[in-house]
């Protein structure tokens, strides 16, 4: 755990980019993308956030975000601005057991040392559990363009700006802190949400966060 008390400019931009991509607010996403580039996020880091959003908001919102980003880059290039492309994702091992890897990463984000026995919902729908383990927590989370802290930050931002996702937001607030983000940074996340996304969304997210923090004491 670090002792960071606030989110840096790059992290704040990840919050707004993910939030507006998830909600489909492209008119607000465009300036957020510009701010992200100006804050030092690379093109590939932003693309990674936009791609990850399809797992939470669906392909239409993710693709709309990507199209918007392409337009932003074209405009900046016409203005003579050369943005840093950044690193590409490292190849995944050919013999990687995605089910095992995904189950282990999910357990770690849950704050567990070992993979727990299947819950009722996993037994009821094994296929959705497989998709979560093998795709979300393996194919996506294993891509090293972003670390797990950045991915969890993007996730809670997306969930906080969507409706009917309080349960998932609660899990991912815990996962964000289990990945190394501090309680103070989570409080700062609420501040960023309030000032840049919306008061209502921030208030609802704050209520969920308080529940998570009370259970972690």
């Amino acid at each position: 755990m670090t002792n960071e008390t606030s989110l840096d400019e790059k992290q704040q931009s990840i919050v707004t980019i993910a939030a507006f991509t998830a909600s489909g607010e492209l008119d607000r996403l465009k300036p957020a993308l510009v701010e992200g580039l100006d804050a030092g996020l690379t093109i590939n880091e932003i693309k990674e956030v936009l791609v990850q959003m399809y797992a939470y908001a669906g392909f239409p919102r993710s693709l709309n975000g990507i199209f918007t980003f392409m337009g932003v880059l074209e405009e900046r290039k016409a203005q003579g601005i050369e943005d840093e492309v950044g690193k590409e994702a490292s190849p995944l091992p050919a013999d990687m057991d995605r089910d095992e890897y995904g189950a282990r990463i999910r357990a770690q984000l849950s704050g567990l040392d070992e993979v727990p026995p299947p819950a009722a919902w996993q037994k009821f729908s094994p296929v959705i559990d497989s998709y979560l383990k093998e795709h979300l927590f393996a194919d996506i989370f294993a891509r090293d363009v972003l670390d797990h802290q950045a991915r969890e930050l993007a996730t809670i931002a997306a969930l906080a700006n969507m409706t009917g996702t309080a349960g998932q937001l609660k899990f991912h607030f815990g996962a964000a802190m289990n990945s190394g983000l501090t309680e103070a940074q989570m409080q700062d996340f609420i501040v960023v949400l309030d000032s840049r996304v919306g008061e209502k969304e921030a208030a609802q997210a704050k209520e969920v966060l308080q529940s998570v923090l009370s259970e972690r004491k």
Side-chain angles (χ1 to χ4, degrees), residues 1 4 19 29 43 74 97 110 117 124 134 141 192 197 200:
M1 283 293 261
E4 293 294 330
L29 174 61
I43 292 174
E74 289 175 2
D97 184 334
S110 301
F124 180 74
E134 297 178 14
F141 267 65
V192 174
V197 179
K200 177 182 176 182

Side-chain angles (χ1 to χ4, degrees), residues 25 38 42 50 67 78 80-81 84 87 106 117 125 136 147 160 167-168 186 199 206 210:
E25 298 173 90
D38 290 342
T42 67
L50 298 174
F67 296 149
I81 301 173
E84 181 183 353
K87 64 175 287 187
R106 183 171 62 186
S125 182
L136 177 58
D147 61 19
Q168 290 77 18
M186 292 296 90
E199 294 180 4
K206 183 177 181 179
Q210 289 175 333

Side-chain angles (χ1 to χ4, degrees), residues 17-70:
I17 289 169
F20 297 139
T21 301
S23 63
E25 298 173 90
L26 303 182
D27 57 331
R28 302 180 74 186
L29 174 61
K30 184 174 179 179
L33 291 166
V34 172
E35 290 175 359
L37 290 167
D38 290 342
L41 287 173
T42 67
I43 292 174
N44 282 343
E45 286 172 336
I46 292 177
K47 282 198 294 186
E48 203 71 20
V49 173
L50 298 174
V51 169
Q52 181 181 323
M53 289 301 97
Y54 100 80
Y56 298 97
F59 274 114
R61 294 284 166 86
S62 178
L63 288 170
N64 285 344
I66 288 171
F67 296 149
T68 301
F69 190 35
M70 290 171 64

Side-chain angles (χ1 to χ4, degrees), residues 64-93:
N64 285 344
I66 288 171
F67 296 149
T68 301
F69 190 35
M70 290 171 64
V72 165
L73 293 175
E74 289 175 2
E75 290 180 7
R76 288 170 69 88
K77 188 174 182 179
Q79 296 168 5
I81 301 173
E82 291 293 333
D83 294 299
E84 181 183 353
V85 176
K87 64 175 287 187
E88 300 285 344
S90 302
L92 299 181

Side-chain angles (χ1 to χ4, degrees), residues 118-129:
W121 67 269
Q122 293 167 295
K123 295 178 180 178
F124 180 74
S125 182
V127 67
I128 194 67
D129 186 42

